[in-house]
Amino acid sequence: MIELAPSILSADFARLGEQVRAAGEGGGSVIHVDIMDGHFVPNLTLGPPVVRSLRKVTKLPLDCHLMIENPDQFIPDFADAGANWISVHQEASRHLNRTLHMIKDHGCLAGVVINPATPVEAISEVLDIVDYVLVMSVNPGFGAQKFIPSTLHKMRKLAEIRGDRDLHYRIEVDGGVALDTIADVVRAGAEILVAGNAVFGSGDPSKNAGALLRAANEAAMVKV
Ligand code: DX5
Ligand code: ZN
């Protein structure tokens, strides 16, 4: 099943509740929340208090993408604030196995993220632990960047490994997903599609989300 995860990074933070509601009305079924610390990535965003406020305005799962150093330190705070899914970067986690178990122990779905320069092999030993794998299709840190097509083969590979090893993780993609790239990521095997600028950048988030989902579902039908 294809799901659209609108990323609030490109939303109007002064009207966050309203914008999240609109994206949900358009078919967004997971809210993607980008957490940046100014160290792991060269940008700063938000922390647990904003997640706690979001929790009050939506029943949709909150997908917290941690782009931070030392994620173990903050996982309990995000879980307590209402995160449903928490993902950590392979590149930022010294003890990835422990960190992923920690996320699960806090009652959340656990995801592992790989940057464009990181191969799938780097997460081979945790694929049986995770609920989802997030393939970055831009270098993390900013919205509205250009999609990197060379990341597509990693989505294909993850779909193949899942079949070969009889695993059950879902495949998420993040970065540059828009009307002109969405069919490619769906055909490559991505199932949870993060989109920031394409949903909140301009126009009506509800209509934008609807158009993206339609395009994604069309590509999925052609694939089958
Ligand atoms: C980038 C973030 C993304 C970002 C995607 O570091 O992880 O979630 O919001 O934005 P778009 O869809 O605009 O590329
Ligand atoms: Zn993200």
Side-chain angles (χ1 to χ4, degrees):
M1 191 184 118
I2 301 285
E3 290 198 80
L4 181 72
S7 165
I8 60 164
L9 186 62
S10 294
D12 178 350
F13 276 46
R15 297 186 296 134
L16 214 42
E18 193 187 307
Q19 298 242 292
V20 163
R21 214 169 300 124
E25 279 162 13
S29 51
V30 177
I31 300 301
H32 186 83
V33 185
D34 287 308
I35 316 292
M36 304 184 186
D37 67 351
H39 294 279
F40 178 64
V41 288
N43 198 3
L44 275 171
T45 53
L46 52 94
V50 177
V51 172
R52 201 175 291 282
S53 297
L54 279 169
R55 184 68 294 158
K56 292 186 198 140
V57 297
T58 182
K59 291 197 162 49
L60 296 176
L62 298 175
D63 168 23
C64 290
H65 173 193
L66 304 190
M67 285 161 275
I68 62 177
E69 282 174 8
N70 196 8
D72 297 23
Q73 190 185 337
F74 294 101
I75 286 164
D77 296 337
F78 283 105
D80 184 58
N84 304 93
W85 305 10
I86 297 180
S87 61
V88 293
H89 273 258
Q90 183 274 339
E91 304 85 2
S93 308
R94 199 167 286 163
H95 303 287
L96 191 51
N97 179 302
R98 177 193 289 151
T99 302
L100 293 167
H101 281 297
M102 185 182 192
I103 295 171
K104 292 182 155 199
D105 290 345
H106 281 81
C108 297
L109 296 188
V112 65
V113 193
I114 47 174
N115 278 336
T118 304
V120 167
E121 286 73 18
I123 53 169
S124 172
E125 299 300 323
V126 296
L127 290 177
D128 57 340
I129 303 174
V130 293
D131 297 291
Y132 60 105
V133 177
L134 172 47
V135 177
M136 290 306 302
S137 42
V138 297
N139 287 295
F142 303 95
Q145 299 184 83
K146 202 171 167 328
F147 181 80
I148 301 173
S150 60
T151 58
L152 283 168
H153 81 96
K154 293 195 275 183
M155 300 166 216
R156 275 185 228 114
K157 190 162 197 171
L158 283 162
E160 194 182 302
I161 294 173
R162 181 172 56 190
D164 291 348
R165 289 174 53 185
D166 193 24
L167 297 174
H168 304 284
Y169 54 80
R170 299 175 74 197
I171 303 168
E172 182 174 27
V173 59
D174 183 6
V177 174
L179 283 174
D180 60 340
T181 53
I182 204 158
D184 288 343
V185 299
V186 168
R187 278 191 229 112
E191 299 145 330
I192 303 157
L193 317 175
V194 176
N197 188 53
V199 172
F200 296 110
S202 61
D204 175 1
S206 164
K207 286 196 185 120
N208 293 341
L212 286 166
L213 259 181
R214 268 193 302 282
N217 283 319
E218 271 166 31
M221 305 247 281
V222 173
K223 191 179 128 193
V224 176

